[in-house]
């Protein structure tokens, strides 16, 4: 585990991380000295993060070394698509048992690798470490090395056992495995001045294919996509690209930054969601390639393509804008989508009443403010009851979210559209923007909503379960409004760190008692952010609020 700890600390100290960029020199030297505690991961573990980051590599056999449930629960949990091999959708697991826990599972792992090579002969095998074999001391690095030497096939260890941290850490550990064992190990047949890498794009529902024709028309070659519809050899020779686009920096910023450092491949963070963002990204790609030696006329051709495609897209969505007049959207997502989808919805003429920022970085929040104004309603952690009330009060006409939130919208008899990784439609690029608008229109004007909102003949509309729920919520709100002491107790009782069950009041008291100014200080005195770390951004906001004098808040 010592090498894993070193890798994790290296990831935590990533210079390209927006959180580290905002630290002082002293804080940056300390790094993120978060303890690695079993059971401390919430919202997806490190193994899950590594698996979903790499599984879209389509011709690789993904072997999970651990109990069968680790593979069963992670199989096909991201709706990526493949234009070639489908071996990536085959679930391989060593299925270790109690005997392996006692005697070790390394022999079982070696036999599993041998069986996969004999039956499927993939160009490479990725071996994922999970909690149980990590804790009993199975050395997957040694097994992978032995198998690689015996069979002459790349066998890549992915050291990301679930207990080391959250899903986002697993994304980065997957990137570290690629950097250590894959990238730079092969050479392409040829290179061109138009070769790019796209990093942090997973081809969900085939959305990469909505953008690739535009790049093909410009003569720009996607040398490697990490990892959507990617192939092992493409990742292995990705170090020969001239430029790179980072789609989701929160997942793989370490890959882009280290490839720039090692191979001088400049990168930028962009988005293909929305018309203007797509155009901006195409311009940025062309600009970087020209800086690296591509002919200057590439920009002229890019502008001509943008003008043509924008005209077609605006014309296609024009008919929907009158139908969207006054329609309000509640966006419950996170990360890069918290701002990139906002831009797309605004282009369609929809009004955003709120966007969640639970998984968003400071940079994501700043982009949201640029798009929605300084008074943007950014939701840190909206409870199901609050979502339900917002929809029932018609403060939103439709909710866009992941599948876990859909039932709240359905209970409120309000339209809902899936925009997370499980979705069945692709929304990227100009064509994808038109598709998104079409799907929102279908959801908003589906005649089923008029039917489900009608009371049943035997039902009393004034006393059904929905009205009783709303009445109970209103009564709770009124009781709090009438009792400031109780309201303050409820406010202070709000959970900030779910992993360690730390409440807002505990954090505020620690800040006041010890004059704390950093997340590390809060963690030391309260254990908040000592698990998955997802609450660190919220703790930073609490620190900022406490550092602001009361009269300054009133003046604002």
């Amino acid at each position: 585990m010592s090498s894993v700890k070193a890798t994790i600390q290296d990831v935590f100290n990533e210079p390209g991380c927006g959180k580290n960029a905002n630290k002082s020199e002293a804080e940056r030297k300390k790094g993120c000295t978060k303890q690695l505690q079993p059971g401390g991961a919430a919202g997806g573990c490190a193994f899950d993060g590594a698996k979903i980051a790499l599984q879209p590599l389509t011709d690789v056999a993904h072997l999970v070394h651990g109990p069968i449930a680790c593979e069963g629960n992670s199989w096909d949990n991201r709706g990526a698509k493949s234009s070639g091999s489908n071996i990536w959708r085959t679930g391989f697991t060593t299925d270790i048992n109690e005997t392996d826990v006692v005697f070790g599972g390394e022999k079982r792992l070696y036999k599993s690798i041998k069986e996969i090579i004999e039956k499927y002969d993939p160009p490479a095998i990725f071996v994922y470490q999970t909690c149980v074999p990590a804790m009993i001391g199975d050395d997957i690095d040694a097994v992978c090395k032995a198998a690689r030497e015996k069979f002459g096939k790349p066998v890549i260890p992915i050291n990301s056992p679930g207990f080391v941290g959250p899903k986002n850490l697993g994304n980065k550990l997957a990137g570290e495995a690629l950097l250590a064992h894959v990238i730079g190990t092969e050479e392409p047949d040829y290179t061109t001045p138009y070769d790019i890498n796209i990093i942090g794009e997973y081809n969900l529902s085939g959305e990469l294919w909505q953008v690739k024709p535009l790049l093909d028309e410009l003569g720009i070659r996607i040398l490697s996509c990490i990892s959507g519809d990617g192939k092992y050899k493409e990742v292995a020779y990705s170090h020969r690209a001239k430029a790179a686009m980072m789609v989701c920096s929160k997942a793989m910023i370490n890959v882009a930054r280290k490839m720039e450092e090692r191979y001088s491949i400049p990168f930028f963070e962009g988005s293909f969601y929305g018309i203007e963002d797509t155009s901006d990204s195409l311009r940025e790609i062309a600009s970087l390639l020209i800086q690296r030696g591509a002919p200057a006329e590439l920009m002229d051709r890019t502008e001509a393509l943008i003008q043509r495609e924008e005209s077609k897209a605006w014309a296609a969505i024009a008919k929907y804008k009158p139908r969207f007049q006054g329609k309000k959207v509640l966006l419950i997502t996170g990360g890069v989508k918290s701002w990139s989808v906002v831009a797309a919805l605004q282009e369609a003429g929809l009004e955003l009443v709120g966007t969640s920022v639970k998984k968003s970085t400071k940079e994501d929040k700043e982009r949201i403010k640029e798009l929605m104004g300084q008074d943007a309603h950014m939701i840190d952690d909206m409870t199901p009851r609050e979502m339900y009330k917002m929809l029932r009060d018609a403060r939103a006409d439709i909710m866009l979210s992941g599948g876990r939130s859909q039932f709240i919208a359905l209970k409120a008899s309000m339209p809902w559209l899936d925009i997370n990784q499980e979705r069945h439609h692709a929304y990227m690029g100009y064509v994808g923007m038109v598709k998104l608008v079409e799907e929102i229109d279908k959801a908003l004007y589906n005649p089923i909503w008029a039917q489900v909102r009608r009371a049943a003949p035997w039902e009393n509309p004034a006393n059904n379960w929905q009205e009783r729920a709303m009445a109970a919520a209103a009564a709770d709100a009124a009781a709090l409004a009438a009792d400031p002491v109780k309201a303050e107790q409820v406010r202070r009782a709000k959970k900030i760190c779910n992993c360690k069950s730390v409440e807002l009041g505990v954090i505020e008291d620690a800040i006041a008692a010890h004059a704390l100014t950093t997340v590390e200080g809060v963690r030391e005195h309260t254990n908040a952010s000592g698990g998955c770390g997802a609450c660190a951004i919220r703790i930073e906001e609490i620190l900022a609020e406490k550092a602001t004098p009361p009269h300054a808040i009133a003046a604002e």
Side-chain angles (χ1 to χ4, degrees):
M1 283 293 291
S2 58
S3 62
V4 179
K5 285 185 178 180
T7 303
I8 291 169
Q9 191 58 49
D10 184 49
V11 167
F12 280 150
N13 293 338
E14 171 56 48
C17 171
K19 185 176 177 183
N20 277 338
N22 293 323
K23 288 181 177 180
S24 67
E25 188 63 30
E27 288 175 318
R28 200 176 295 119
K29 284 180 180 177
K30 283 175 61 180
C32 298
T33 54
K34 209 167 56 175
Q35 291 185 356
L36 308 179
Q37 300 179 10
C45 67
F47 156 70
D48 184 39
K51 185 85 181 311
I52 64 172
L54 298 181
Q55 188 158 0
L57 291 172
T58 59
D59 61 349
V60 171
H62 300 271
L63 172 60
V64 176
H65 182 42
I68 194 168
C70 291
E71 168 58 10
N73 291 335
S74 64
W75 180 82
D76 205 28
N77 65 352
R78 176 165 268 175
K81 299 292 182 182
S82 169
S83 60
S85 172
N86 277 318
I87 191 173
W88 63 287
R89 298 192 75 246
T90 301
F92 296 105
T93 177
T94 53
D95 186 18
I96 64 172
N97 55 36
E98 291 87 346
T99 303
D100 299 310
V101 172
V102 175
F103 295 103
E106 293 177 358
K107 288 184 178 179
R108 180 185 285 263
L109 173 59
Y110 185 86
K111 289 179 180 178
S112 298
I113 294 170
K114 180 175 182 286
E115 182 178 347
I116 290 171
I117 291 173
E118 291 174 347
K119 287 187 176 180
Y120 298 92
D121 192 30
I125 299 174
F126 285 3
V127 177
Y128 298 84
Q129 180 76 294
T130 60
C131 293
V132 174
M135 287 191 286
I136 64 175
D138 279 3
D139 188 349
I140 69 166
D141 293 80
V143 176
C144 289
K145 181 181 178 182
R148 185 164 56 245
E149 293 172 352
K150 172 69 175 179
F151 304 112
K153 183 86 64 177
V155 183
I156 311 301
I158 313 295
N159 273 302
S160 58
F163 60 75
V164 302
K167 182 185 292 186
N168 178 244
L169 174 60
N171 295 157
K172 291 181 171 63
L173 291 176
E176 290 296 320
L178 295 182
L179 289 161
H181 302 288
V182 183
I183 295 171
T185 59
E186 300 207 21
E187 294 293 334
D189 294 333
Y190 66 94
T191 60
T192 76
Y194 304 97
D195 292 345
I196 67 166
N197 294 329
I198 298 182
I199 302 171
E201 162 52 38
Y202 304 107
N203 197 32
L204 303 180
S205 300
E207 61 188 10
L208 177 65
W209 302 332
Q210 294 176 321
V211 175
K212 189 174 182 298
L214 303 175
L215 299 174
D216 290 342
E217 184 177 336
L218 294 171
I220 296 172
R221 180 171 70 148
I222 301 176
L223 188 68
S224 175
C225 182
I226 304 174
S227 57
D229 197 25
K231 297 173 179 59
Y232 177 79
K233 281 194 173 183
E234 293 173 350
V235 178
Y237 58 58
S238 61
H239 62 298
R240 295 305 182 193
K242 299 296 188 293
M245 175 178 172
M246 166 61 62
V247 176
C248 183
S249 64
K250 199 172 182 187
M252 286 195 171
I253 183 65
N254 55 325
V255 175
R257 206 270 309 166
K258 288 185 178 179
M259 290 186 74
E260 181 178 46
E261 183 182 84
R262 296 178 186 178
Y263 309 112
S264 301
I265 303 174
F267 73 94
F268 73 100
E269 183 178 4
S271 167
F272 284 122
Y273 290 113
I275 296 172
E276 292 184 7
D277 280 355
T278 298
S279 298
D280 289 344
S281 293
L282 290 173
R283 290 188 183 100
E284 190 67 30
I285 290 171
S287 176
L288 284 180
L289 289 174
I290 291 168
Q291 292 173 30
R292 296 299 308 280
E297 55 85 29
L298 173 61
M299 187 60 75
D300 296 330
R301 292 191 288 112
T302 301
E303 290 294 346
L305 180 142
I306 287 171
Q307 184 177 359
R308 184 194 74 206
E309 294 298 323
E310 279 193 355
S311 298
K312 288 165 58 178
W314 287 120
I317 68 175
K319 64 181 180 181
Y320 296 102
K321 283 196 171 184
R323 293 166 63 83
F324 290 167
Q325 190 71 34
K327 297 296 184 184
K328 299 182 287 293
V329 179
L330 175 61
L331 182 62
I332 304 294
T333 179
V336 67
K337 291 196 293 295
S338 62
W339 59 265
S340 59
V341 176
V342 166
L345 296 174
Q346 288 178 331
E347 288 171 352
L350 291 155
E351 178 186 345
L352 269 292
V353 296
T355 179
S356 64
V357 292
K358 189 173 182 180
K359 299 179 182 178
S360 302
T361 63
K362 282 186 176 179
E363 290 71 26
D364 292 332
K365 292 181 180 181
E366 288 304 316
R367 295 196 190 201
I368 292 168
K369 288 180 181 178
E370 289 175 12
L371 293 165
M372 297 175 63
Q374 291 298 313
D375 297 327
H377 186 192
M378 293 186 286
I379 303 160
D380 183 66
D381 190 14
M382 180 176 272
T383 65
R385 175 177 279 190
E386 289 169 337
M387 287 185 209
Y388 177 80
K389 192 172 189 307
M390 178 174 276
L391 293 168
R392 284 286 293 171
D393 288 348
R395 282 181 283 160
D397 297 292
I398 184 172
M399 183 165 76
L400 274 58
S401 71
R404 284 180 293 181
S405 304
Q406 66 174 304
F407 300 105
I408 298 166
L410 297 177
K411 283 182 177 180
S413 302
M414 298 296 287
W416 168 82
L417 185 66
D418 191 351
I419 59 164
N420 272 13
Q421 62 191 27
E422 306 91 354
R423 64 182 182 268
H424 298 290
H425 299 287
Y427 300 135
M428 189 177 277
Y430 302 108
V431 175
M433 176 64 192
V434 175
K435 183 65 177 176
L436 174 62
V437 170
E438 288 177 355
E439 293 302 316
I440 291 174
D441 184 78
K442 286 180 186 177
L444 278 170
Y445 290 97
N446 192 317
I448 191 63
W449 301 116
Q451 296 292 322
V452 298
R453 289 170 190 156
R454 287 171 55 187
W458 58 86
E459 190 176 48
N460 179 3
N463 191 33
N464 58 23
W465 69 267
Q466 292 170 317
E467 294 305 320
R468 289 195 296 271
M470 292 293 287
D476 290 345
L480 290 178
D483 188 347
V485 175
K486 178 66 174 176
E488 177 64 6
Q489 290 174 349
V490 171
R491 186 192 71 82
R492 286 172 54 84
K494 183 178 181 181
K495 285 276 175 54
I496 299 299
C497 178
N498 288 310
C499 296
K500 301 300 178 183
S501 194
V502 183
E503 298 173 348
L504 173 60
V506 174
I507 294 172
E508 290 180 337
D509 291 344
I511 292 171
H514 303 285
L516 304 178
T517 59
T518 65
V519 175
E520 289 76 14
V522 172
R523 183 184 307 126
E524 182 180 342
H525 287 87
T526 69
N527 212 19
S529 83
C532 75
C535 60
I537 294 174
R538 178 69 185 109
I539 294 172
E540 287 178 347
E541 292 172 349
I542 296 169
L543 287 164
E545 291 167 7
K546 292 300 176 184
T548 305
H551 65 274
I553 297 174
E556 292 175 2

